[in-house]
Each structure stands twice: as structure tokens, then as C-alpha cells.
Amino acid sequence: SLALSYLKSSLEKAGFDAVVLDAQIEAIGQLNPIEGQNNYITHGLMDAEILSRIPEDIKILGVSVMFSSEWPYVRQLIKKIKQARPDIFIIAGGEHITAIPELTLRQCPEINIGVVGEGEETIIELMQNLAQPEKFRNIAGLVFLEENRLVKTMPRVRIKKVNDIPWPSWDDKSLDKFFDAKLSHGPYRGRTMPILASRGCPYDCQFCSNRTMWGNNYWSRDVVDVVDEIETYVKKYNIKCFEFMDLTVYMKRSWIIDFCHELIDRKLDIVWQCTGGTRTEAINEEVILLTKK
């Protein structure tokens, strides 16, 4: 989980201990019927297994909900967690929470706080003020219920200095399970690693949640920083394929050209792909030939 690994690295940089439980990776190939919903299944750990993996000393639990299709199951799981561990403070975030926060909180009041939009800065500020809930109203990017009324704090300003966000903090044992299963979001081209070179998108496609989640701004990382991360993973994990999870990588033609030259100059023996697709405006013959090279 790229999103959770980014949150973990930001928390660690701020001095907090964090663990990530990727329930899908931990039980690759295990399919489970969802209780009370006979037409649906989950892929990964069963509910009881997830509960057993939550460390006893955990005080705060963050749950990521990317797609609304996951929500009927996730809210059921959150209710079970709260019932088993009423002492845990539950934070939920992701695209679904951001899109429909009030419906989410009312359907699952076991959630203490919802995080809207980018989570790296919000989660740290929330952690720093967790013992003083009266300050929650002053933390940007939060939603919560107070006396059955929705409280939505000021919008969180987008992170513009994306180079300052620490690289994802990966769990090597979980990665090994991912590698051993030969998993990939796109066509499998060898030992694969997800990576993110940018955040946001300036376009406004009607099918996409980008405007709600990110706004209409686009911020790209420095080419050298991205290739440094790639080279690190090649040396550390013997990665052969990189999957860009960006909303669209081909945004600035100059960035793509510089990126390709940096890869070529370092003689990294890899392939790369744009798993989420891309737009075509920045693509011309020069870009096509260079990306192939």
C-alpha cells in the first residue's frame, strides 16, 4: 500500500512509531465471503485475522478507504474493531472519506475523525494534539461529528514541496510476499515496485475524484529525486519494473524528457509503465522514441 507507506514515513520522520497492516498482501490468494453480503468477497486476511494482527499497545488506528465499492465491507470491519478494542481512536481517510464525509461518519459513528484530502501533514498535526480534542477545530483537513452535527474544519492547503515528503517506509517482509506472488497493477514485467512522481492533475474529467481529493493543481517531484528512489530500490530489492501510480505522468513534456535522460545516463536496467494510464497532450514523436530508449 503506497498511501499507507507514505503516511508511515511521515509519522516516523515526526518521531512517532507506526506499523502498517496490508491485509491483502498478508494473505495473497485467500478469498473470504463477507458476512451478511453473499454476493461479495474480500481478498486477504479474514476479519478475525485482522483483529489478531492489531498490536496490543496500539492507541490510534488509521483506516484507508480508496474506493466506495470497498466501503460496505470496511465500515463493517471498523465496527468489529471498535467493539473488540473500544480504547482505540480510529481515523479514516482516503478518496471515499473525502468525497462523502458526512454520509461516511453517519453510517459508521465508530470513526472518531475523518481526514479529508492529503494525509501526511494532517495526521502529524492530529497526533500532536490527540490529547487535546478541543484543538481539533483548528486543524485543517478534518471532519467529525460533534453532538450529532458535522464539523468540517478549514481545507488543508495542498503540499507544494512534494520533494520534502519522505519516501515511503516499506516493510521488507510484506514486500517479499508481494514479490514472491509476482504481483503487478499492470502487465507483469518482472520484479515490480510502485512509485509516485507527482500529485494531482490540472484537468477536470467528470469520472474522476481528483478535484475533490487534490484540487486542480499538479505538483511534480524533482527528476533526480525520483530516479534516486528508483536506483535505491534497484540496488536494495533487485527491482526490474516500476509502475507509476500517478494520476497522469505525462503532464509536462520537459519533465518526461529530463526523466528519460536521467534514466539513460545512469544505465539502470529497468522497464517502467504508467499503470493508471495517462493523457496524450505531452506525447509527441520525440517523447515516444525517448521513452522507448
mmCIF file of all heavy atoms in Angstrom, residues 227-261:
data_model
loop_
_atom_site.group_PDB
_atom_site.id
_atom_site.type_symbol
_atom_site.label_atom_id
_atom_site.label_comp_id
_atom_site.label_asym_id
_atom_site.label_seq_id
_atom_site.Cartn_x
_atom_site.Cartn_y
_atom_site.Cartn_z
ATOM 1 N N VAL A 227 14.544 9.454 -9.653
ATOM 2 C CA VAL A 227 15.482 8.435 -10.141
ATOM 3 C C VAL A 227 16.379 7.941 -9.002
ATOM 4 O O VAL A 227 16.781 6.774 -8.983
ATOM 5 C CB VAL A 227 16.307 8.969 -11.335
ATOM 6 C CG1 VAL A 227 17.257 7.893 -11.855
ATOM 7 C CG2 VAL A 227 15.382 9.416 -12.464
ATOM 8 N N ASP A 228 16.673 8.801 -8.031
ATOM 9 C CA ASP A 228 17.390 8.334 -6.836
ATOM 10 C C ASP A 228 16.600 7.239 -6.133
ATOM 11 O O ASP A 228 17.162 6.218 -5.703
ATOM 12 C CB ASP A 228 17.620 9.497 -5.867
ATOM 13 C CG ASP A 228 18.771 10.409 -6.278
ATOM 14 O OD1 ASP A 228 19.554 10.010 -7.162
ATOM 15 O OD2 ASP A 228 18.877 11.508 -5.702
ATOM 16 N N GLU A 229 15.290 7.442 -6.001
ATOM 17 C CA GLU A 229 14.441 6.436 -5.363
ATOM 18 C C GLU A 229 14.436 5.144 -6.181
ATOM 19 O O GLU A 229 14.548 4.043 -5.635
ATOM 20 C CB GLU A 229 13.015 6.963 -5.188
ATOM 21 C CG GLU A 229 12.127 6.020 -4.386
ATOM 22 C CD GLU A 229 10.716 6.530 -4.184
ATOM 23 O OE1 GLU A 229 10.393 7.647 -4.648
ATOM 24 O OE2 GLU A 229 9.911 5.805 -3.568
ATOM 25 N N ILE A 230 14.320 5.287 -7.500
ATOM 26 C CA ILE A 230 14.344 4.113 -8.380
ATOM 27 C C ILE A 230 15.648 3.344 -8.212
ATOM 28 O O ILE A 230 15.654 2.117 -8.044
ATOM 29 C CB ILE A 230 14.150 4.548 -9.846
ATOM 30 C CG1 ILE A 230 12.700 4.974 -10.079
ATOM 31 C CG2 ILE A 230 14.540 3.432 -10.817
ATOM 32 C CD1 ILE A 230 12.436 5.547 -11.461
ATOM 33 N N GLU A 231 16.770 4.060 -8.253
ATOM 34 C CA GLU A 231 18.073 3.408 -8.146
ATOM 35 C C GLU A 231 18.235 2.717 -6.787
ATOM 36 O O GLU A 231 18.809 1.623 -6.699
ATOM 37 C CB GLU A 231 19.182 4.437 -8.358
ATOM 38 C CG GLU A 231 20.567 3.811 -8.444
ATOM 39 C CD GLU A 231 21.622 4.806 -8.926
ATOM 40 O OE1 GLU A 231 21.386 6.029 -8.841
ATOM 41 O OE2 GLU A 231 22.682 4.356 -9.389
ATOM 42 N N THR A 232 17.702 3.345 -5.740
ATOM 43 C CA THR A 232 17.765 2.738 -4.406
ATOM 44 C C THR A 232 17.034 1.405 -4.378
ATOM 45 O O THR A 232 17.534 0.408 -3.843
ATOM 46 C CB THR A 232 17.150 3.689 -3.361
ATOM 47 O OG1 THR A 232 17.917 4.902 -3.312
ATOM 48 C CG2 THR A 232 17.138 3.041 -1.975
ATOM 49 N N TYR A 233 15.849 1.347 -4.979
ATOM 50 C CA TYR A 233 15.064 0.109 -4.990
ATOM 51 C C TYR A 233 15.693 -0.961 -5.878
ATOM 52 O O TYR A 233 15.599 -2.152 -5.591
ATOM 53 C CB TYR A 233 13.638 0.391 -5.442
ATOM 54 C CG TYR A 233 12.847 1.282 -4.510
ATOM 55 C CD1 TYR A 233 11.786 2.045 -4.989
ATOM 56 C CD2 TYR A 233 13.148 1.358 -3.160
ATOM 57 C CE1 TYR A 233 11.056 2.863 -4.148
ATOM 58 C CE2 TYR A 233 12.426 2.178 -2.310
ATOM 59 C CZ TYR A 233 11.377 2.927 -2.805
ATOM 60 O OH TYR A 233 10.650 3.741 -1.967
ATOM 61 N N VAL A 234 16.324 -0.523 -6.960
ATOM 62 C CA VAL A 234 17.017 -1.480 -7.830
ATOM 63 C C VAL A 234 18.123 -2.181 -7.045
ATOM 64 O O VAL A 234 18.266 -3.407 -7.093
ATOM 65 C CB VAL A 234 17.601 -0.773 -9.073
ATOM 66 C CG1 VAL A 234 18.561 -1.699 -9.818
ATOM 67 C CG2 VAL A 234 16.488 -0.328 -10.008
ATOM 68 N N LYS A 235 18.893 -1.409 -6.299
ATOM 69 C CA LYS A 235 20.023 -1.962 -5.544
ATOM 70 C C LYS A 235 19.557 -2.749 -4.309
ATOM 71 O O LYS A 235 20.130 -3.795 -3.988
ATOM 72 C CB LYS A 235 20.963 -0.838 -5.126
ATOM 73 C CG LYS A 235 21.682 -0.182 -6.296
ATOM 74 C CD LYS A 235 22.562 0.977 -5.835
ATOM 75 C CE LYS A 235 23.304 1.603 -6.998
ATOM 76 N NZ LYS A 235 24.133 2.767 -6.588
ATOM 77 N N LYS A 236 18.526 -2.257 -3.640
ATOM 78 C CA LYS A 236 18.083 -2.880 -2.388
ATOM 79 C C LYS A 236 17.192 -4.094 -2.617
ATOM 80 O O LYS A 236 17.298 -5.106 -1.903
ATOM 81 C CB LYS A 236 17.341 -1.852 -1.533
ATOM 82 C CG LYS A 236 16.967 -2.367 -0.145
ATOM 83 C CD LYS A 236 16.352 -1.262 0.706
ATOM 84 C CE LYS A 236 16.017 -1.780 2.110
ATOM 85 N NZ LYS A 236 15.453 -0.706 2.977
ATOM 86 N N TYR A 237 16.294 -4.007 -3.622
ATOM 87 C CA TYR A 237 15.296 -5.062 -3.822
ATOM 88 C C TYR A 237 15.392 -5.772 -5.177
ATOM 89 O O TYR A 237 14.559 -6.621 -5.488
ATOM 90 C CB TYR A 237 13.884 -4.473 -3.683
ATOM 91 C CG TYR A 237 13.598 -3.834 -2.353
ATOM 92 C CD1 TYR A 237 13.310 -2.459 -2.278
ATOM 93 C CD2 TYR A 237 13.603 -4.566 -1.176
ATOM 94 C CE1 TYR A 237 13.027 -1.852 -1.058
ATOM 95 C CE2 TYR A 237 13.332 -3.966 0.052
ATOM 96 C CZ TYR A 237 13.041 -2.608 0.102
ATOM 97 O OH TYR A 237 12.758 -2.019 1.300
ATOM 98 N N ASN A 238 16.395 -5.392 -5.978
ATOM 99 C CA ASN A 238 16.567 -6.001 -7.299
ATOM 100 C C ASN A 238 15.312 -5.832 -8.159
ATOM 101 O O ASN A 238 14.837 -6.763 -8.806
ATOM 102 C CB ASN A 238 16.907 -7.490 -7.163
ATOM 103 C CG ASN A 238 17.367 -8.105 -8.480
ATOM 104 O OD1 ASN A 238 17.958 -7.421 -9.324
ATOM 105 N ND2 ASN A 238 17.094 -9.382 -8.670
ATOM 106 N N ILE A 239 14.794 -4.618 -8.214
ATOM 107 C CA ILE A 239 13.567 -4.329 -8.955
ATOM 108 C C ILE A 239 13.859 -4.237 -10.454
ATOM 109 O O ILE A 239 14.850 -3.641 -10.876
ATOM 110 C CB ILE A 239 12.932 -3.014 -8.460
ATOM 111 C CG1 ILE A 239 12.637 -3.098 -6.967
ATOM 112 C CG2 ILE A 239 11.663 -2.702 -9.246
ATOM 113 C CD1 ILE A 239 11.713 -4.208 -6.556
ATOM 114 N N LYS A 240 12.962 -4.811 -11.241
ATOM 115 C CA LYS A 240 13.100 -4.804 -12.700
ATOM 116 C C LYS A 240 12.068 -3.908 -13.380
ATOM 117 O O LYS A 240 12.270 -3.482 -14.510
ATOM 118 C CB LYS A 240 12.949 -6.225 -13.242
ATOM 119 C CG LYS A 240 14.010 -7.200 -12.746
ATOM 120 C CD LYS A 240 15.411 -6.763 -13.145
ATOM 121 C CE LYS A 240 16.474 -7.751 -12.681
ATOM 122 N NZ LYS A 240 17.843 -7.259 -12.993
ATOM 123 N N CYS A 241 10.935 -3.668 -12.706
ATOM 124 C CA CYS A 241 9.861 -2.885 -13.316
ATOM 125 C C CYS A 241 9.308 -1.882 -12.302
ATOM 126 O O CYS A 241 9.083 -2.229 -11.140
ATOM 127 C CB CYS A 241 8.742 -3.812 -13.793
ATOM 128 S SG CYS A 241 7.281 -2.940 -14.427
ATOM 129 N N PHE A 242 9.094 -0.661 -12.750
ATOM 130 C CA PHE A 242 8.500 0.366 -11.900
ATOM 131 C C PHE A 242 7.163 0.798 -12.476
ATOM 132 O O PHE A 242 7.053 1.087 -13.673
ATOM 133 C CB PHE A 242 9.446 1.571 -11.779
ATOM 134 C CG PHE A 242 10.616 1.298 -10.880
ATOM 135 C CD1 PHE A 242 11.774 0.721 -11.393
ATOM 136 C CD2 PHE A 242 10.558 1.581 -9.528
ATOM 137 C CE1 PHE A 242 12.854 0.442 -10.568
ATOM 138 C CE2 PHE A 242 11.631 1.308 -8.693
ATOM 139 C CZ PHE A 242 12.782 0.731 -9.216
ATOM 140 N N GLU A 243 6.169 0.825 -11.600
ATOM 141 C CA GLU A 243 4.828 1.219 -12.008
ATOM 142 C C GLU A 243 4.507 2.585 -11.416
ATOM 143 O O GLU A 243 4.464 2.756 -10.202
ATOM 144 C CB GLU A 243 3.797 0.209 -11.508
ATOM 145 C CG GLU A 243 3.928 -1.146 -12.149
ATOM 146 C CD GLU A 243 2.789 -2.054 -11.744
ATOM 147 O OE1 GLU A 243 2.514 -2.176 -10.543
ATOM 148 O OE2 GLU A 243 2.184 -2.648 -12.639
ATOM 149 N N PHE A 244 4.296 3.563 -12.282
ATOM 150 C CA PHE A 244 3.958 4.906 -11.823
ATOM 151 C C PHE A 244 2.465 4.960 -11.529
ATOM 152 O O PHE A 244 1.634 4.737 -12.405
ATOM 153 C CB PHE A 244 4.360 5.942 -12.873
ATOM 154 C CG PHE A 244 5.831 6.223 -12.879
ATOM 155 C CD1 PHE A 244 6.704 5.469 -13.652
ATOM 156 C CD2 PHE A 244 6.354 7.229 -12.081
ATOM 157 C CE1 PHE A 244 8.070 5.705 -13.637
ATOM 158 C CE2 PHE A 244 7.729 7.484 -12.061
ATOM 159 C CZ PHE A 244 8.583 6.719 -12.842
ATOM 160 N N MET A 245 2.148 5.257 -10.258
ATOM 161 C CA MET A 245 0.769 5.264 -9.797
ATOM 162 C C MET A 245 0.146 6.659 -9.883
ATOM 163 O O MET A 245 -0.945 6.900 -9.368
ATOM 164 C CB MET A 245 0.705 4.758 -8.351
ATOM 165 C CG MET A 245 1.437 3.446 -8.115
ATOM 166 S SD MET A 245 0.835 2.102 -9.147
ATOM 167 C CE MET A 245 -0.766 1.821 -8.411
ATOM 168 N N ASP A 246 0.816 7.583 -10.551
ATOM 169 C CA ASP A 246 0.329 8.956 -10.691
ATOM 170 C C ASP A 246 -1.019 8.996 -11.419
ATOM 171 O O ASP A 246 -1.341 8.109 -12.216
ATOM 172 C CB ASP A 246 1.330 9.784 -11.493
ATOM 173 C CG ASP A 246 2.718 9.760 -10.895
ATOM 174 O OD1 ASP A 246 3.302 8.660 -10.765
ATOM 175 O OD2 ASP A 246 3.242 10.825 -10.570
ATOM 176 N N LEU A 247 -1.769 10.072 -11.160
ATOM 177 C CA LEU A 247 -2.986 10.283 -11.939
ATOM 178 C C LEU A 247 -2.629 10.430 -13.410
ATOM 179 O O LEU A 247 -3.340 9.944 -14.279
ATOM 180 C CB LEU A 247 -3.725 11.528 -11.436
ATOM 181 C CG LEU A 247 -4.340 11.408 -10.041
ATOM 182 C CD1 LEU A 247 -4.903 12.748 -9.594
ATOM 183 C CD2 LEU A 247 -5.425 10.347 -10.026
ATOM 184 N N THR A 248 -1.552 11.119 -13.686
ATOM 185 C CA THR A 248 -1.001 11.151 -15.043
ATOM 186 C C THR A 248 0.472 11.573 -14.973
ATOM 187 O O THR A 248 0.790 12.616 -14.389
ATOM 188 C CB THR A 248 -1.781 12.089 -15.983
ATOM 189 O OG1 THR A 248 -1.134 12.142 -17.249
ATOM 190 C CG2 THR A 248 -1.916 13.479 -15.418
ATOM 191 N N VAL A 249 1.345 10.757 -15.519
ATOM 192 C CA VAL A 249 2.773 11.066 -15.520
ATOM 193 C C VAL A 249 3.109 12.047 -16.646
ATOM 194 O O VAL A 249 3.899 12.966 -16.474
ATOM 195 C CB VAL A 249 3.610 9.777 -15.681
ATOM 196 C CG1 VAL A 249 5.094 10.115 -15.769
ATOM 197 C CG2 VAL A 249 3.360 8.842 -14.510
ATOM 198 N N TYR A 250 2.489 11.848 -17.793
ATOM 199 C CA TYR A 250 2.795 12.669 -18.972
ATOM 200 C C TYR A 250 2.044 13.992 -18.903
ATOM 201 O O TYR A 250 1.054 14.219 -19.595
ATOM 202 C CB TYR A 250 2.396 11.929 -20.252
ATOM 203 C CG TYR A 250 3.287 10.774 -20.617
ATOM 204 C CD1 TYR A 250 3.080 9.513 -20.065
ATOM 205 C CD2 TYR A 250 4.328 10.941 -21.522
ATOM 206 C CE1 TYR A 250 3.889 8.438 -20.406
ATOM 207 C CE2 TYR A 250 5.141 9.870 -21.876
ATOM 208 C CZ TYR A 250 4.922 8.628 -21.302
ATOM 209 O OH TYR A 250 5.723 7.581 -21.642
ATOM 210 N N MET A 251 2.505 14.880 -18.057
ATOM 211 C CA MET A 251 1.874 16.186 -17.921
ATOM 212 C C MET A 251 2.762 17.272 -18.513
ATOM 213 O O MET A 251 2.337 18.053 -19.357
ATOM 214 C CB MET A 251 1.589 16.489 -16.445
ATOM 215 C CG MET A 251 0.805 17.770 -16.224
ATOM 216 S SD MET A 251 -0.820 17.732 -16.964
ATOM 217 C CE MET A 251 -1.569 16.397 -16.020
ATOM 218 N N LYS A 252 4.028 17.283 -18.082
ATOM 219 C CA LYS A 252 4.987 18.265 -18.584
ATOM 220 C C LYS A 252 5.996 17.530 -19.476
ATOM 221 O O LYS A 252 6.731 16.668 -19.018
ATOM 222 C CB LYS A 252 5.711 18.946 -17.425
ATOM 223 C CG LYS A 252 4.799 19.797 -16.549
ATOM 224 C CD LYS A 252 5.468 20.212 -15.252
ATOM 225 C CE LYS A 252 6.692 21.052 -15.501
ATOM 226 N NZ LYS A 252 7.321 21.501 -14.237
ATOM 227 N N ARG A 253 5.995 17.891 -20.728
ATOM 228 C CA ARG A 253 6.885 17.214 -21.673
ATOM 229 C C ARG A 253 8.342 17.340 -21.256
ATOM 230 O O ARG A 253 9.116 16.386 -21.354
ATOM 231 C CB ARG A 253 6.681 17.788 -23.080
ATOM 232 C CG ARG A 253 7.436 17.039 -24.172
ATOM 233 C CD ARG A 253 7.126 17.644 -25.536
ATOM 234 N NE ARG A 253 5.716 17.504 -25.838
ATOM 235 C CZ ARG A 253 5.067 18.247 -26.746
ATOM 236 N NH1 ARG A 253 5.713 19.200 -27.382
ATOM 237 N NH2 ARG A 253 3.798 18.044 -26.976
ATOM 238 N N SER A 254 8.720 18.520 -20.753
ATOM 239 C CA SER A 254 10.114 18.734 -20.349
ATOM 240 C C SER A 254 10.496 17.792 -19.211
ATOM 241 O O SER A 254 11.631 17.310 -19.150
ATOM 242 C CB SER A 254 10.326 20.191 -19.931
ATOM 243 O OG SER A 254 9.480 20.528 -18.836
ATOM 244 N N TRP A 255 9.543 17.508 -18.295
ATOM 245 C CA TRP A 255 9.826 16.607 -17.168
ATOM 246 C C TRP A 255 10.087 15.196 -17.676
ATOM 247 O O TRP A 255 11.044 14.538 -17.256
ATOM 248 C CB TRP A 255 8.660 16.600 -16.180
ATOM 249 C CG TRP A 255 8.981 15.930 -14.874
ATOM 250 C CD1 TRP A 255 9.368 16.537 -13.715
ATOM 251 C CD2 TRP A 255 8.976 14.520 -14.593
ATOM 252 N NE1 TRP A 255 9.607 15.600 -12.727
ATOM 253 C CE2 TRP A 255 9.374 14.352 -13.241
ATOM 254 C CE3 TRP A 255 8.682 13.391 -15.338
ATOM 255 C CZ2 TRP A 255 9.466 13.108 -12.626
ATOM 256 C CZ3 TRP A 255 8.782 12.133 -14.749
ATOM 257 C CH2 TRP A 255 9.166 11.999 -13.407
ATOM 258 N N ILE A 256 9.247 14.721 -18.571
ATOM 259 C CA ILE A 256 9.403 13.366 -19.121
ATOM 260 C C ILE A 256 10.736 13.227 -19.855
ATOM 261 O O ILE A 256 11.457 12.233 -19.721
ATOM 262 C CB ILE A 256 8.236 13.021 -20.063
ATOM 263 C CG1 ILE A 256 6.968 12.748 -19.246
ATOM 264 C CG2 ILE A 256 8.548 11.811 -20.937
ATOM 265 C CD1 ILE A 256 7.017 11.492 -18.407
ATOM 266 N N ILE A 257 11.083 14.236 -20.634
ATOM 267 C CA ILE A 257 12.341 14.199 -21.384
ATOM 268 C C ILE A 257 13.534 14.161 -20.427
ATOM 269 O O ILE A 257 14.454 13.351 -20.580
ATOM 270 C CB ILE A 257 12.429 15.406 -22.343
ATOM 271 C CG1 ILE A 257 11.411 15.237 -23.486
ATOM 272 C CG2 ILE A 257 13.850 15.559 -22.907
ATOM 273 C CD1 ILE A 257 11.286 16.454 -24.389
ATOM 274 N N ASP A 258 13.508 15.027 -19.410
ATOM 275 C CA ASP A 258 14.599 15.040 -18.427
ATOM 276 C C ASP A 258 14.675 13.715 -17.668
ATOM 277 O O ASP A 258 15.766 13.210 -17.383
ATOM 278 C CB ASP A 258 14.408 16.190 -17.439
ATOM 279 C CG ASP A 258 14.624 17.553 -18.064
ATOM 280 O OD1 ASP A 258 15.202 17.607 -19.176
ATOM 281 O OD2 ASP A 258 14.208 18.556 -17.453
ATOM 282 N N PHE A 259 13.520 13.164 -17.327
ATOM 283 C CA PHE A 259 13.457 11.895 -16.611
ATOM 284 C C PHE A 259 14.093 10.777 -17.445
ATOM 285 O O PHE A 259 14.902 9.981 -16.944
ATOM 286 C CB PHE A 259 12.010 11.559 -16.274
ATOM 287 C CG PHE A 259 11.793 10.169 -15.750
ATOM 288 C CD1 PHE A 259 12.218 9.806 -14.481
ATOM 289 C CD2 PHE A 259 11.164 9.215 -16.537
ATOM 290 C CE1 PHE A 259 12.018 8.517 -14.000
ATOM 291 C CE2 PHE A 259 10.956 7.927 -16.066
ATOM 292 C CZ PHE A 259 11.386 7.575 -14.798
ATOM 293 N N CYS A 260 13.731 10.715 -18.708
ATOM 294 C CA CYS A 260 14.290 9.679 -19.591
ATOM 295 C C CYS A 260 15.803 9.804 -19.716
ATOM 296 O O CYS A 260 16.529 8.803 -19.654
ATOM 297 C CB CYS A 260 13.641 9.757 -20.971
ATOM 298 S SG CYS A 260 11.923 9.232 -21.006
ATOM 299 N N HIS A 261 16.294 11.028 -19.871
ATOM 300 C CA HIS A 261 17.742 11.230 -19.985
ATOM 301 C C HIS A 261 18.450 10.804 -18.696
ATOM 302 O O HIS A 261 19.547 10.218 -18.740
ATOM 303 C CB HIS A 261 18.052 12.697 -20.302
ATOM 304 C CG HIS A 261 17.843 13.061 -21.737
ATOM 305 N ND1 HIS A 261 18.490 12.411 -22.776
ATOM 306 C CD2 HIS A 261 17.055 14.012 -22.315
ATOM 307 C CE1 HIS A 261 18.127 12.947 -23.930
ATOM 308 N NE2 HIS A 261 17.246 13.910 -23.685
#
